[in-house]
Amino acid sequence: MTINVLAVDDSRTMRDMITLALKDEGFDVTTADDGVHGLEVLEGLQPDVIITDINMPRMDGFGFIDAVRGRDESRLTPILVLTTESSDELKIRARNAGATGWIVKPFAQDKLIRALRTVAG
């Protein structure tokens, strides 16, 4: 079964790293470069899981998670936060917004793949 992933990150390097890490493992990856772009991409996509950064221009990860959770078709889609941030306060804020899990950058490929497969069900 192919798992469709939407990866939202303002860093082209990080989007490329996520895509490379997942493509070889049979994931189908779509990318967006910030929260606003992520919402635009979601209009034509029903991902199995979403990965988002927190610190992005135009719309940060918290705003993006709120917006995703406000849409009927993505209310239950698992969202993993992938960020350099590691404070408990931000993790709690993300969980309260509706994030499913939290992974700190730089990420270990096997850990990311395991987390995605777990939340995608």
Side-chain angles (χ1 to χ4, degrees):
M1 175 188 109
T2 301
I3 296 174
N4 295 308
V5 177
L6 171 61
V8 183
D9 198 301
D10 60 317
S11 163
R12 174 183 294 278
T13 302
M14 188 54 60
R15 291 192 308 269
D16 290 348
M17 286 174 60
I18 292 168
T19 299
L20 282 171
L22 299 181
K23 284 270 190 214
D24 292 343
E25 296 292 326
F27 291 82
D28 187 17
V29 182
T30 304
T31 61
D33 52 24
D34 63 26
V36 172
H37 187 216
L39 292 176
E40 292 167 358
V41 170
L42 268 179
E43 290 301 318
L45 186 70
Q46 187 59 46
D48 297 305
V49 63
I50 297 170
I51 299 170
T52 185
D53 189 13
I54 290 295
N55 300 311
M56 299 181 287
R58 297 204 300 167
M59 178 186 287
D60 70 8
F62 297 116
F64 176 69
I65 293 167
D66 284 339
V68 169
R69 290 296 179 236
R71 298 166 33 112
D72 286 341
E73 50 293 327
S74 56
R75 185 169 291 125
L76 301 176
T77 304
I79 300 173
L80 290 179
V81 175
L82 181 63
T83 182
T84 55
E85 303 288 345
S86 61
S87 79
D88 288 339
E89 179 185 323
L90 291 178
K91 289 178 184 177
I92 291 167
R93 185 173 164 202
R95 185 162 292 122
N96 289 342
T100 311
W102 188 283
I103 298 173
V104 177
K105 295 177 189 173
F107 64 91
Q109 181 175 346
D110 60 329
K111 183 177 179 183
L112 178 62
I113 290 165
R114 209 169 31 252
L116 289 170
R117 288 200 170 121
T118 299
V119 299

